[in-house]
Amino acid sequence: MKQHMDDRIEICSDAPGLHVVILAGVHGDEYEPMLAASELAQRLPELLVAGKVTVVPVVNQSAYGLAGRCGADQLDLARICPGKPDGSISEKAAFRISSLVRTADYLVDMHTGGMVHDICPMAGYLLHPDAGILEKQKRMALMFSMPVIWGTDPLPNGRTLSVARDANIPAVYLEYGGGSGLRKEVITKYLEGVLNLLRDLKMIAGAAVVPPVEKIFWVEDFNNDSGSFQSKMPSPAGGIFVTAQQPGAMVKKGALFGKVAGPETGGVVEVAAPFDGIVLAVRVAVRVQPGDALGAILPVTEPGMRTIQKGMEHAGDPLTT
Ligand SMILES: [Zn+2]
């Protein structure tokens, strides 16, 4: 096992095969992925029978040092890839990680909602224009046995997944949980999911578990910027957000999503679901400014696959009363 300067950990089997890259800590305040990555790096040497896995437990070390989403330069590494070799600290980290991503046959980027959102367990991918790559991404996403799978607009740049897209490398990202505290179930889910993917790729022994597709809320949304949590359910007011929902809950249009309270004025603005669906994310950073995302709802009412073409309902402003 080799450890590089930028703290990537390479686990090489004795047999040739695929190269899988597993990332955590693109955001410095998402801790379960980092622990899942560390545990993977410890367990893989005795499990890997073919190919190579590169694990990076903390991609943006500057952000981790600050216990924040962004590095000391205030840059979000998931918006600045492929970075710059001679740029600021996050730009350099983005450059290094983008160079690594281009060497992969498959990429998994593990996240949580950080300190802002609590997210329903999900695997996501970009709706890649190449049918073969899209098919591989769907298979990858399935291997994580998540209740939600979300394919979104392929155009956004700056992400590790954008670098993978441009290099025609199948890639998925994972989201689960967030907020303060540590959830062991997130670590377990990510760890088991990666091992299951590696089984499916014949890189570790055993048969992969394939969950039934008909039980998954599987949405492919072709609207522009459909994958951005930051643009969903903008708060109509500033104040203290009191949620009425939980990730994974089913909601009806008009149902109370939460309230924004202004204790200095005594004012309360109620926020309602803009359509029927499943709650994908709920804001847990309670102090909000007008326009901050309060959460996200996926417009599906039952499991199974659904395609949302451009122009169909998908994001929408929350209803206020
Ligand atoms: Zn993240």
Side-chain angles (χ1 to χ4, degrees), residues 26-30 60 63 67-71 75-79 113 230:
V26 161
H27 294 131
D29 58 352
E30 301 177 5
N60 192 344
R69 179 179 176 88
C70 301
L75 293 175
D76 180 342
L77 198 143
R79 299 292 178 272
Q230 286 80 5

Side-chain angles (χ1 to χ4, degrees), residues 24-57:
V26 161
H27 294 131
D29 58 352
E30 301 177 5
Y31 301 111
E32 289 92 342
M34 299 176 192
L35 295 181
S38 296
E39 195 167 335
L40 264 176
Q42 284 175 11
R43 288 179 56 178
L44 280 176
E46 58 186 44
L47 294 175
L48 204 63
V49 295
K52 175 171 97 169
V53 177
T54 303
V55 179
V56 186

Side-chain angles (χ1 to χ4, degrees), residues 295-308:
I297 300 172
L298 275 187
V300 285
T301 53
E302 52 194 31
M305 287 197 80
R306 179 173 174 207
T307 302
I308 303 174

Side-chain angles (χ1 to χ4, degrees), residues 143-210:
M143 290 301 118
F144 289 88
S145 291
M146 297 292 198
V148 172
I149 296 180
W150 199 25
T152 53
D153 167 25
L155 296 179
N157 289 317
R159 280 82 165 164
T160 58
L161 262 67
S162 320
V163 174
R165 172 202 64 204
D166 293 345
N168 289 326
I169 294 161
V172 297
Y173 70 99
L174 309 176
E175 299 279 3
Y176 185 174
S180 59
L182 197 73
R183 297 191 205 174
K184 287 188 179 154
E185 62 269 29
V186 179
I187 301 171
T188 305
K189 191 79 170 167
Y190 285 4
L191 194 58
E192 286 179 352
V194 170
L195 294 177
N196 200 45
L197 172 65
L198 296 176
R199 265 182 225 114
D200 201 47
L201 296 174
K202 312 285 180 231
M203 294 171 70
I204 65 177
V209 176
V210 184

